Amino acid sequence: MGGPRDQEPPVLLESNPTNQSINTSPEEIKLTFDEYIKLDNPSKGTVITPRIDKDKVVFTALKNVVTIKLNQELEDSTTYVFNFQKSIVDISEENPAENLKLVFSTGNSIDSLSISGSINFHFPASKPDYKNIVVGIYPLGDTTDVFTAPPYYLSEVDTLGNFAITNIKNGNYLAYAWRDANGTLKAESKSEEYDFLLDTLKLEKNIENVRFNLSKGDLTPIRIVRTAPFGKNFDILLNRTPVETQIENKDLGKEFFYTFSDNRIRIFPNSPKADSIPFNLNVKDSVGFVKDSLIWAKFPESERRPEKLQITANSGKSFYKDLEIELKFNKPIKSISLDSLFITYDTASIIPVRRSMMAFEDSIKMDLLKIRLSIPDSISKDIFTIKASDSTFIDIENQLNETPLSANYRKLKRESLADEIKGSILGAKPPFIVQLINSKNETVREQFLESSNDYSFKLLEAGTFKIRVIEDLNGNKRWDPSNFNQRRLAERVFYFFNAEQEQALLIRSGWTLDEQNINATDPTGIQKRAENHVDNL
C-alpha cells in the first residue's frame, strides 16, 4: 500500500525435478518461486514437448508453489521440455515469469538437437501478425499429421517471425507451420493459414534456416449440396466457390442460360419444359479438386414471382482515353433498348451507346455487359456518366429494370499521370502475374509475363502503390494455394520493397521509376546453405 509498483517478474528458486536432470520420470512437477504466484491459462499457455496428453495434466498454484500432476506414463529415454511462456504470473501485477523452461530426461542423456528458421506470409497484413503461429514436427511414420493431432515437438513463433524447436531426439520428421487461432494445436484448413515441408527432415545435427510461407488452402473437396427447381428455373448449390465452371448442353446459349453467385448456379430456360433436361457439370476448386456430374434439371410451370432485375455498375473508376464500363446483372439479359442508353458529360451533350461498343463477357451467361469507347482529347470534361432509363434492359424472365441507371467515371488528364513504373523480377523464373495495388488494396493493373522477367506499368494515376508478384508455375493466370493431400505447395507470392524495407511505392505525375526490382522471397524448405540436411525419403 502506497509503495512503488511491482515490476519484477517472479523468479524460480527451485524445481523438482531440477532443470537438466536425467534418469527421472516424475509423476508430478513442483516449481517454487520467490513470491506468491497464480496461473494464467496454463493448459494452453504451457508448451510441452514431445507430445503428451495435456487433457490429463492438472496445474495448481498455492502461495508461491506451482504443482503439475502429469497423470500419465512418460516415454523411456526421452527428453521433455516444459516451456511455461507467460502462464505463471505474480499475484500483485501479473508480471509473467521470464524465460521459464524446465528440461529433464527419462533416460541417461539430454537430447540437444534443434530446428530453427523463420515464417513468411504469401498475403501478409499491413503489419505481419505472428500471434498464435506454431511450428511443429511429427516423427516419420506417425499416423497423425497437422490436421488430425498436435505435433510431437513444437514451438511458437516470436514477434519477428523466428522459431526454434530444441531438445529433439535424432530421427526423421515431417514439419509444418500454421496459425493456431483456436488453440487446438491442429491446423484448420478452412480458416487457418498453414504450410508444410515436402521433404523429410533427417535430423542428425542441428538444422537451421528452415522457411515456411503461410497461406490458406481449404482442403474440403468441392461437392454439390443440393439441386432443385426454383420457380421456373433450376438451382445447383455447391459447398464452395469453384475457380472453373463448365456446363454442357447442346441448347446452352440458345434455350438455356445460367448465372453464378454465392456458390449457386442458376439455370434459366427461355420457356417451361415438360421433360427433364440433362446438363453435364464440371467444377474445379482452388486447391485442384474436381467434381464432374450429370444433372437432370426440371423447368416446370410456376406461379412464383420472378426476382426483380438488378444492375450493378463499376462506377467511380478513373480512365485516361478508353472508358471501360461494366454492368453486372443478377439474371441473363434478353434485350437492350439502345434508344435509352447513353453517356453524358454535360447537361446538353450525350454520346449514344452503339451496338459495336457493347459485348457480353460470356454468351451462355449474358449477365456481364462490357461497354468500351474512346473519349477524344477534344472533350475536356472530367466526369462522364452512363445513363439508362427504366425499362432499358429486359431479362430472360421478361422483367424490366425498374430503377434508372446512373454511374459516373472520371477522365484523367495526361499531365496528371505518372509516366511509368518498371523493373525486373529477380530470383525466380516466369510465368508471372504482376499486380499493381492501390492504397485501398484494390488491383488497378495486372500483367501476365509468360516468358519475361521485366514488367512495366505506364500512364498511371499518381499515388502510393504496392507491387505483388505471383510465380504462376502452371501458367493458368491465377494464384494456386497448396494442396496437402497432393503434396503440392502454394505458388510463391512476393512484393516490391523500398529502401526502408516497406512495400509503399510513391509515384507522382510526370515521374518515371525504373529499376524497381523485385526480389523473390525464399521458397518453403531449408535454404541452400543448409540443404544437406534434407533427405528425400
Side-chain angles (χ1 to χ4, degrees):
M1 294 292 291
R5 181 177 179 179
D6 178 14
Q7 295 181 332
E8 296 297 323
V11 176
L12 180 68
L13 297 177
E14 62 177 341
S15 67
N16 185 18
T18 60
N19 192 39
Q20 300 290 319
S21 61
I22 59 174
N23 296 317
T24 182
S25 184
E27 294 181 357
E28 70 175 25
I29 297 169
K30 284 188 178 291
L31 306 174
T32 304
F33 294 87
D34 66 342
E35 60 179 312
Y36 284 8
I37 46 81
K38 63 180 181 179
L39 298 170
D40 184 8
N41 196 7
S43 295
K44 181 179 179 181
T46 303
V47 176
I48 305 173
T49 59
R51 179 176 64 206
I52 67 173
D53 188 350
K54 289 183 71 174
D55 291 337
K56 295 181 179 180
V57 180
V58 178
F59 295 81
T60 58
L62 179 62
K63 297 183 178 179
N64 65 329
V65 177
V66 171
T67 302
I68 306 164
K69 293 186 177 181
L70 301 179
N71 297 316
Q72 59 197 289
E73 293 288 332
L74 301 180
E75 295 183 23
D76 294 333
S77 301
T78 300
T79 298
Y80 284 88
V81 179
F82 284 68
N83 189 335
F84 296 95
Q85 301 188 100
K86 298 181 179 180
S87 61
I88 299 176
V89 300
D90 62 33
I91 283 184
S92 57
E93 295 292 341
E94 298 188 351
N95 298 305
E98 294 181 347
N99 302 317
L100 183 59
K101 186 165 70 171
L102 176 65
V103 180
F104 63 86
S105 175
T106 58
N108 57 14
S109 63
I110 298 289
D111 295 326
S112 58
L113 296 177
S114 66
I115 297 171
S116 60
S118 61
I119 299 294
N120 178 55
F121 298 96
H122 284 315
F123 299 95
S126 56
K127 183 180 180 181
D129 177 15
Y130 299 105
K131 185 178 180 181
N132 297 323
I133 301 296
V134 174
V135 178
I137 61 174
Y138 295 70
L140 185 66
D142 195 323
T143 57
T144 62
D145 57 47
V146 68
F147 299 105
T148 59
Y152 200 67
Y153 294 96
L154 69 111
S155 170
E156 291 196 337
V157 173
D158 66 21
T159 55
L160 298 177
N162 300 313
F163 70 89
I165 307 176
T166 60
N167 300 104
I168 308 172
K169 183 183 297 186
N170 66 342
N172 298 326
Y173 297 91
L174 299 176
Y176 308 84
W178 68 100
R179 187 185 298 279
D180 188 31
N182 57 7
T184 62
L185 294 181
K186 297 183 292 183
E188 306 289 341
S189 71
K190 286 185 177 181
S191 58
E192 296 176 343
E193 301 151 291
Y194 65 91
D195 195 17
F196 53 93
L197 299 192
L198 291 175
D199 298 319
T200 299
L201 294 176
K202 188 173 184 179
L203 192 59
E204 297 173 338
K205 55 183 176 180
N206 294 344
I207 297 179
E208 301 175 343
N209 305 312
V210 178
R211 176 62 164 244
F212 291 98
N213 294 290
L214 272 61
S215 60
K216 292 181 180 179
D218 188 352
L219 294 174
T220 306
I222 193 166
R223 60 185 175 87
I224 297 173
V225 176
R226 179 175 57 85
T227 62
F230 182 84
K232 298 178 181 179
N233 310 312
F234 190 82
D235 280 358
I236 304 170
L237 186 66
L238 305 172
N239 66 323
R240 53 186 302 195
T241 303
V243 294
E244 295 180 11
T245 303
Q246 291 183 339
I247 302 178
E248 296 179 355
N249 177 281
K250 63 182 180 64
D251 292 322
L252 201 62
K254 295 176 288 187
E255 286 294 319
F256 304 98
F257 301 86
Y258 80 94
T259 60
F260 184 86
S261 65
D262 299 328
N263 297 1
R264 183 201 67 203
I265 299 170
R266 177 165 292 170
I267 304 175
F268 297 81
N270 272 328
S271 59
K273 310 295 179 185
D275 299 324
S276 295
I277 309 296
F279 291 85
N280 288 310
L281 174 66
N282 182 281
V283 289
K284 182 177 182 180
D285 63 23
S286 59
V287 298
F289 293 124
V290 175
K291 179 67 176 178
D292 198 348
S293 301
L294 175 63
I295 295 172
W296 291 87
K298 296 182 178 180
F299 303 95
E301 296 278 0
S302 175
E303 298 299 321
R304 187 187 188 108
R305 180 178 297 178
E307 293 182 343
K308 293 183 178 181
L309 177 59
Q310 299 175 355
I311 311 170
T312 303
N314 62 335
S315 58
K317 297 293 183 180
S318 300
F319 69 99
Y320 172 42
K321 287 187 176 180
D322 293 330
L323 173 56
E324 297 181 353
I325 298 169
E326 292 186 358
L327 302 181
K328 177 70 175 177
F329 303 89
N330 63 324
K331 291 188 282 183
I333 295 301
K334 184 168 65 175
S335 65
I336 302 172
S337 174
L338 295 183
D339 293 340
S340 55
L341 181 62
F342 55 90
I343 295 166
T344 180
Y345 50 89
D346 59 34
T347 55
S349 303
I350 66 169
I351 302 173
V353 175
R354 305 188 186 281
R355 192 77 58 183
S356 59
M357 301 175 183
M358 302 187 309
F360 281 98
E361 185 181 56
D362 192 331
S363 61
I364 61 175
K365 295 175 71 177
M366 303 290 282
D367 63 344
L368 180 57
L369 178 65
K370 294 189 174 184
I371 302 171
R372 179 170 180 169
L373 66 154
S374 293
I375 304 298
D377 292 337
S378 57
I379 302 178
S380 60
K381 301 297 182 179
D382 295 331
I383 303 300
F384 290 75
T385 304
I386 185 167
K387 290 183 176 291
S389 63
D390 59 281
S391 306
T392 298
F393 303 97
I394 304 177
D395 67 34
I396 195 170
E397 296 183 295
N398 294 316
Q399 300 296 298
L400 307 171
N401 62 298
E402 298 179 358
T403 304
L405 169 69
S406 180
N408 295 328
Y409 302 84
R410 184 166 63 96
K411 187 176 186 295
L412 303 172
K413 293 181 171 59
R414 176 62 182 88
E415 58 269 22
S416 69
L417 301 179
D419 291 338
E420 186 178 19
I421 299 173
K422 62 181 178 179
S424 298
I425 301 164
L426 309 177
K429 296 181 180 179
F432 300 113
I433 302 168
V434 187
Q435 298 173 328
L436 189 69
I437 301 169
N438 64 15
S439 57
K440 298 178 181 179
N441 212 33
E442 300 169 331
T443 300
V444 294
R445 297 277 190 93
E446 183 173 288
Q447 288 183 351
F448 178 69
L449 304 180
E450 186 171 8
S451 57
S452 174
N453 285 63
D454 300 323
Y455 73 91
S456 172
F457 295 107
K458 297 181 179 180
L459 299 179
L460 302 168
E461 189 173 4
T464 301
F465 301 91
K466 61 182 179 181
I467 303 175
R468 179 168 61 206
V469 178
I470 297 170
E471 188 181 30
D472 190 22
L473 297 175
N474 58 10
N476 64 0
K477 300 183 180 181
R478 66 171 182 264
W479 176 73
D480 292 316
S482 64
N483 187 319
F484 175 75
N485 298 333
Q486 298 176 359
R487 305 298 294 170
R488 188 189 71 235
L489 296 177
E491 291 179 327
R492 275 195 296 175
V493 182
F494 30 91
Y495 299 80
F496 167 83
F497 285 91
N498 59 26
E500 289 74 36
Q501 289 303 301
E502 297 175 343
Q503 293 182 2
L505 179 62
L506 174 64
I507 186 166
R508 301 188 186 280
S509 56
W511 283 16
T512 295
L513 297 180
D514 54 14
E515 297 186 10
Q516 303 302 298
N517 297 335
I518 303 169
N519 292 298
T521 53
D522 291 332
T524 293
I526 302 174
Q527 303 316 302
K528 290 183 179 180
R529 51 190 175 275
E531 65 184 358
N532 57 311
H533 297 299
V534 177
D535 188 15
N536 295 315
L537 295 179

